[in-house]
C-alpha cells in the first residue's frame, strides 16, 4: 500500500477530493450594499480554483440581514442571492476544483454601524467588537436555526459541493460555545453541553434542509485561546472544543475545518508554521470524520508532514496560496508527486 501524502485523493461522503489541499475561506468584501456577490468575485474564485487546490471554501455569507458582519459581506439570506452564488460555484467547477460555501451569523461580532438588531446569547460585552448585544429570545433562536437551514438549501441549489457552518472566530455560534459570551441559564447555556446545543440543532436543521445530500462541514473554533498564548481568561478550552468536535462527528458532520474561537484565525503574536496544529492533533485523536488543519502553513513540507503523520486529513493554506498562485504546483515539485 502506498503511503498517503499531500497529493493523495480523499473520498469524503461520496465526493472525491483530488488532493489534500483546501483553500480556506478568505473574505473579499466585494459584495454590493445588499450583499449580492460582484461578478468580479466569481472570476476571483475561478482563479483561486485554478491553482490546483482540491476544495475552495468560499468566504462567509450571512444567513440573515442582521447576522451580517460588515457592509460588503456577501449574503445568502434569501433566494435573491442564489444567482450570484451559482456563478461562483460554476467558476470554481470550471477551473477543476470542488467548492463549499460558508454560512454565518455574526451575532455581536459585527461592525458597529451595521443595521438591524445586534443579537447574542447574553447581553454582555463582546470581547472583540466591544458591542453589547440583545439577549436572544426563544423565538430569535428558532428563527436563527431556520435561517441556517434555508441558507444551506440555497447553497445546495446554487451548485456547491459542501456547505460549511461557521462556528469559529467569535461569530454567533462561537459566542454560544464560549463561557465568555454565553451567560444563559436556560437550555442553551450553563454547561458545555448546553452551550453547544444551538450548534447541534443547526447542524441537524441543515442536514434536513439539504435532505442529507450535501456533505456538511463545520468551521470549529476549538478554543478561545491559541495553543501557546493566554489572551483571554476563562474562555472555551481545548477539552471542551474536542467534546464539541465529538458531538459534531456523532451528528454526521463530514469535515471539521478547525480554527480558533474568540482569538480569531490569525492572533497577533502567534508566528511559526502550523500554529493550530495542537488543535488538529487533539481533535483527530477523538473523531472519525475528516479534519482540516489550517493556520500559518506556508511550507509544502509542513503540509506533507501533517498529512503523513495523521495529524489531519487535509491542510488549509490561505494566505500563502493567495500570495502565490503557483504554491500548489511548487508543492507538487517539492514533495516529488
Ligand atoms: C483576508 C482574510 C479573510 C478571511 N475571511 C474568513 C472568512 O470569511 N471565514 C473564515 O472562517 N475565515 C476567514 N479567514 C481566516 C482564514 O480562513 C484562515 O483560517 C487564516 O487566514 C489562517 O490561515 P493561513 O495562515 O493559511 O492564512 C480570513 C483570513 C484572511 C487573511
Amino acid at each position: 500500500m502506498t503511503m498517503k501524502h499531500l497529493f493523495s485523493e480523499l473520498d469524503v461522503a461520496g465526493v472525491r477530493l483530488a488532493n489534500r489541499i483546501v483553500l480556506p475561506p478568505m473574505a473579499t468584501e466585494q459584495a454590493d450594499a445588499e450583499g449580492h456577490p460582484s461578478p468580479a468575485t466569481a472570476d476571483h474564485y475561478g482563479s483561486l480554483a485554478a491553482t490546483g487546490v482540491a476544495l475552495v471554501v468560499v468566504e462567509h455569507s450571512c444567513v440573515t440581514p442582521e447576522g451580517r458582519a460588515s457592509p460588503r459581506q456577501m449574503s445568502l439570506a434569501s433566494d435573491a442571492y442564489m444567482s450570484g452564488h451559482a456563478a461562483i460555484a460554476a467558476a470554481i467547477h470550471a477551473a477543476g476544483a470542488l467548492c463549499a460555501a460558508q454560512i454565518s451569523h455574526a451575532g455581536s461580532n459585527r461592525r458597529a454601524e451595521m443595521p438591524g438588531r445586534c443579537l447574542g446569547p447574553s447581553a454582555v460585552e463582546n470581547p472583540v467588537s466591544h458591542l453589547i448585544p440583545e439577549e436572544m429570545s426563544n423565538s430569535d433562536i428558532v428563527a436563527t436555526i431556520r435561517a441556517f437551514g434555508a441558507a444551506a438549501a440555497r447553497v445546495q441549489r446554487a451548485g456547491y459541493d459542501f456547505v460549511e457552518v461557521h462556528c469559529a472566530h467569535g461569530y454567533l455560534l462561537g459566542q454560544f460555545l464560549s463561557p465568555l459570551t454565553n451567560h444563559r441559564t436556560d437550555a442553551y447555556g450553563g454547561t458545555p453541553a448546553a452551550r453547544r446545543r444551538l450548534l447541534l440543532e443547526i447542524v441537524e436543521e441543515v442536514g434536513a434542509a439539504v435532505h442529507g445530500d450535501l456533505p456538511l462541514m463545520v468551521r470549529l473554533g476549538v478554543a478561545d485561546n491559541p495553543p501557546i498564548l493566554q489572551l483571554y481568561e476563562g474562555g472555551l478550552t481545548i477539552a471542551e472544543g474536542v467534546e464539541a468536535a465529538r458531538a459534531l462527528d456523532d451528528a454526521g458532520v463530514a469535515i471539521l475545518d478547525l480554527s480558533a474561537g474568540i482569538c480569531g484565525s490569525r492572533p497577533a503574536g502567534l508566528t511559526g508554521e502550523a500554529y493550530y496544529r495542537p488543535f488538529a492533533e487533539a481533535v483527530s485523536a477523538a473523531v472519525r470524520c475528516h479534519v482540516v488543519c489550517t493556520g500559518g502553513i506556508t511550507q509544502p513540507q509542513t503540509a506533507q508532514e501533517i498529512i503523513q503523520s495523521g495529524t489531519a486529513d487535509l491542510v488549509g493554506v490561505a494566505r500563502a496560496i493567495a500570495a502565490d498562485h503557483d504554491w500548489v504546483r511548487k508543492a507538487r515539485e517539492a514533495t516529488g508527486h
Side-chain angles (χ1 to χ4, degrees):
M1 200 174 100
T2 39
M3 201 170 138
K4 67 184 171 189
H5 56 76
L6 191 57
F7 290 91
S8 307
E9 293 177 338
L10 182 69
D11 287 326
V12 180
V15 182
R16 175 155 298 184
L17 303 194
N19 59 51
R20 305 305 182 96
I21 307 168
V22 176
L23 187 86
M26 272 180 289
T28 54
E29 302 277 337
Q30 289 177 334
D32 69 10
E34 278 83 49
H36 293 281
S38 130
T41 307
D43 295 341
H44 169 75
Y45 280 107
S47 60
L48 287 170
T51 59
V53 296
L55 171 65
V56 174
V57 185
V58 170
E59 68 201 75
H60 63 170
S61 292
C62 59
V63 299
T64 64
E66 64 202 357
R68 206 157 171 230
S70 59
R72 306 291 300 276
Q73 188 191 351
M74 296 199 297
S75 176
L76 268 163
S78 82
D79 288 354
Y81 299 101
M82 276 179 43
S83 60
H85 277 275
I88 294 173
I92 294 170
H93 285 153
L98 298 175
C99 54
Q102 187 183 56
I103 53 176
S104 180
H105 190 303
S108 57
N109 191 6
R110 64 179 198 169
R111 297 257 286 272
E113 73 269 25
M114 296 309 286
R117 295 166 68 210
C118 178
L119 298 173
S122 304
V124 295
E125 184 178 317
N126 182 299
V128 180
S129 67
H130 302 293
L131 298 173
I132 299 180
E134 231 183 277
E135 177 176 315
M136 285 169 71
S137 67
N138 255 336
S139 62
D140 292 329
I141 287 176
V142 170
T144 302
I145 294 169
R146 295 217 175 105
F148 269 95
R154 290 178 197 118
V155 168
Q156 185 173 39
R157 281 186 278 139
Y160 288 99
D161 305 289
F162 295 84
V163 58
E164 177 168 277
V165 171
H166 199 350
C167 181
H169 310 156
Y171 289 111
L172 182 71
L173 302 184
Q175 289 158 28
F176 268 84
L177 277 193
S178 174
L180 293 175
T181 39
N182 183 345
H183 295 185
R184 297 177 77 97
T185 53
D186 64 0
Y188 294 94
T191 64
R195 284 189 263 112
R196 53 180 180 261
R197 179 179 171 141
L198 177 60
L199 170 62
L200 290 165
E201 289 183 354
I202 283 172
V203 161
E204 193 183 338
E205 176 83 6
V206 163
V210 300
H211 311 289
D213 280 345
L214 193 66
L216 178 54
M217 302 172 66
V218 172
R219 189 130 222 226
L220 180 65
V222 176
D224 282 337
N225 279 298
I228 53 159
L229 286 177
Q230 174 86 17
L231 302 177
Y232 299 95
E233 212 167 306
L236 185 77
T237 64
I238 295 188
E240 286 171 6
V242 169
E243 278 314 303
R246 228 191 272 273
L248 291 165
D249 185 33
D250 288 343
V253 167
I255 299 180
L256 287 169
D257 181 9
L258 305 181
S259 189
I262 285 174
C263 70
S265 64
R266 294 153 281 145
L270 206 62
T271 51
E273 287 284 299
Y275 46 78
Y276 288 153
R277 183 179 180 145
F279 292 164
E281 285 165 351
V283 170
S284 288
V287 301
R288 294 148 298 177
C289 66
H290 298 292
V291 168
V292 190
C293 176
T294 302
I297 298 172
T298 67
Q299 300 302 316
Q301 291 307 341
T302 312
Q304 171 86 321
E305 204 273 319
I306 286 171
I307 301 302
Q308 291 191 329
S309 62
T311 297
D313 308 286
L314 294 154
V315 289
V317 182
R319 288 166 296 174
I321 292 179
D324 179 5
H325 284 202
D326 250 1
W327 194 94
V328 178
R329 191 189 56 73
K330 289 177 185 165
R332 199 181 272 282
E333 257 174 41
T335 57
H337 296 296

